């Protein structure tokens, strides 16, 4: 019998829930029955490793109006529940969220989710343009912790359906914001200790948010390593490299390398 080998593949997101089951999320802008078969292999390998039940949902971009959810392979029955973002008016939601952000109103949990998923919703804009707009808007959120969580999650999700060049463009937009300017100007150019420390902490939090959203890396060991890096130049180089990391293993190697250079 052939051996199931998924070593070269990576599930988009897997969350361990409070009821000790897994929530497996996949993001798709196209549909193929082969994708469903691939998700089945993912779940089979994960169950074989952990013994936990897995519930899979596939979030489809606005271009997809219908997709198969069920595979009938005789005794093997598999279901990946479809969620269609075409049912959401991205332009209307973006206007409403923009009003709240620019009036410094707090976004609740549902609104934060809407902002993160906006690039996949139905819109008159191109997906790449909408993703860039979302990062720009997220950078205007008043609460600093919420701001960087939104940025990290948005970029982490966009990495699943946008080409690398567009993800890089989103990061360039982030670098040009007032927050990034404060990090670079106050923290580096003017060399003020207070501004420098604030800049270091901002970049550390951005790195941790991104690692959690993309690779589900949130252990105390990871947090300790990132917060042990206190050289601005090293942190700047690290965050630029992490956004291009190909895997969790690659990201961990980059962090260890940064610690040596610190």
């Amino acid at each position: 019998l052939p051996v199931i080998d998924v070593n070269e593949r990576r599930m988009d997101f897997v969350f361990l829930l409070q009821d000790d089951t897994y929530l497996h999320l996949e993001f798709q802008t196209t549909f193929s029955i082969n994708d469903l078969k691939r998700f089945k292999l993912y779940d089979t390998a994960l169950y074989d490793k952990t013994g936990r039940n897995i519930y899979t949902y596939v979030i489809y971009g606005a271009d997809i109006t219908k997709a198969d959810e069920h595979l009938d392979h005789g005794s093997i029955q598999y279901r990946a529940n479809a969620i269609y973002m075409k049912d959401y008016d991205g332009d209307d939601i973006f206007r409403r969220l923009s009003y709240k952000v620019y009036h410094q109103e707090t976004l609740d949990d549902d609104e934060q989710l809407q902002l993160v998923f906006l690039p996949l919703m139905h819109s008159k804009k191109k997906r790449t343009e909408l993703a860039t707009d979302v990062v720009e808007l997220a950078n205007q959120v008043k609460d600093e912790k919420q701001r960087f969580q939104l940025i990290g999650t948005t970029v982490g999700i966009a990495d699943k359906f946008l080409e690398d060049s567009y993800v890089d463009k989103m990061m360039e937009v982030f670098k040009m914001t007032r927050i990034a300017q404060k990090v670079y100007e106050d923290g580096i150019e003017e060399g003020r200790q207070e501004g420098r420390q604030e800049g270091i902490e901002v970049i550390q939090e951005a790195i941790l948010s991104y690692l959690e959203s993309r690779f589900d890396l949130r252990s105390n060991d990871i947090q300790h390593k990132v917060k042990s890096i206190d050289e601005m130049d090293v942190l700047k180089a690290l965050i630029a490299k992490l956004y291009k990391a190909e895997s969790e293993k690659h990201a961990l190697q980059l962090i260890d390398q940064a610690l040596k250079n610190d």
Side-chain angles (χ1 to χ4, degrees):
L1 291 175
V3 176
I4 296 176
D5 185 1
V6 292
N7 291 334
E8 299 304 318
R9 302 167 183 170
R10 179 163 55 84
M11 304 166 86
D12 280 357
F13 291 99
V14 180
F15 300 93
L16 179 60
L17 305 183
Q18 288 184 348
D19 62 0
D20 208 35
T21 65
Y22 282 120
L23 170 63
H24 172 198
L25 293 181
E26 290 287 339
F27 294 86
Q28 293 290 117
T29 55
T30 60
F31 171 75
S32 168
I33 198 68
N34 289 327
D35 289 326
L36 220 56
K37 294 177 180 177
R38 177 164 53 90
F39 303 153
K40 179 191 69 175
L41 293 181
Y42 289 165
D43 291 346
T44 301
L46 182 59
Y47 181 83
D48 187 56
K49 179 179 180 180
T50 67
R52 290 186 173 99
N53 287 344
I54 305 160
Y55 299 94
T56 300
Y57 289 80
V58 185
I59 300 174
Y60 289 100
D63 296 334
I64 305 300
T65 58
K66 187 177 181 181
D68 292 339
E69 299 183 44
H70 181 238
L71 291 178
D72 183 355
H73 293 166
S75 293
I76 300 174
Q77 302 290 319
Y78 178 73
R79 176 171 296 280
N81 302 280
I83 298 175
Y84 299 103
M85 302 308 290
K86 66 178 180 62
D87 298 327
Y88 295 87
D89 187 338
D91 295 329
D92 181 65
I93 291 174
F94 185 81
R95 284 191 294 269
R96 177 166 49 80
L97 295 181
S98 296
Y99 179 87
K100 293 198 68 172
V101 170
Y102 289 126
H103 285 79
Q104 298 188 340
E105 298 179 24
T106 302
L107 299 181
D108 61 29
D109 290 344
D110 286 343
E111 290 168 335
Q112 291 180 60
L113 283 174
Q114 290 171 2
L115 182 61
V116 168
F117 287 116
L118 258 170
L120 288 166
M121 296 180 184
H122 175 72
S123 173
K124 295 178 181 178
K125 297 181 179 180
K126 294 181 179 180
R127 185 173 291 117
T128 52
E129 181 183 357
L130 191 56
T132 304
D133 289 346
V134 167
V135 171
E136 290 179 332
L137 182 60
N139 269 291
Q140 305 302 319
V141 171
K142 182 179 179 180
D143 183 87
E144 185 173 273
K145 182 178 179 180
Q146 186 180 92
R147 181 191 314 135
F148 283 102
Q149 285 180 339
L150 287 170
I151 294 170
T153 307
T154 301
V155 176
I157 290 177
D159 181 62
K160 309 300 178 185
F161 58 84
L162 291 183
E163 296 178 4
D164 289 345
S165 58
Y166 289 110
V167 176
D168 290 342
K169 182 179 179 181
M170 292 169 66
M171 288 311 304
E172 288 301 319
V173 171
F174 164 58
K175 290 176 183 178
M176 293 304 293
T177 62
R178 287 179 296 177
I179 289 297
Q181 287 175 6
K182 184 174 184 60
V183 171
Y184 291 105
E185 294 172 6
D186 291 338
I188 301 174
E189 295 175 12
E190 297 182 15
R192 294 184 302 188
Q193 184 61 33
E194 182 179 350
R196 177 182 177 278
Q197 185 59 38
E198 181 181 355
I200 287 172
E201 292 174 358
V202 166
I203 297 181
Q204 288 172 341
E205 288 300 322
I207 289 173
L208 291 173
S209 293
Y210 182 71
L211 290 172
E212 181 175 346
S213 64
R214 182 175 178 187
F215 300 115
D216 197 28
L217 290 172
R218 64 183 79 189
S219 68
N220 291 334
D221 182 55
I222 292 296
Q223 294 185 33
H224 176 72
K225 285 184 176 181
V226 172
K227 291 185 177 181
S228 295
I229 304 172
D230 57 6
E231 287 294 329
M232 182 73 76
D233 290 341
V234 176
L235 284 167
K236 285 169 52 186
L238 175 60
I239 195 170
K241 292 176 181 177
L242 283 174
Y243 282 115
K244 298 181 180 180
E246 299 175 355
S247 64
E248 175 183 324
K249 181 179 179 181
H250 187 197
L252 292 173
Q253 289 173 343
L254 291 172
I255 293 171
D256 289 337
Q257 183 179 352
L259 278 169
K260 294 179 181 179
N261 297 333
D262 187 41

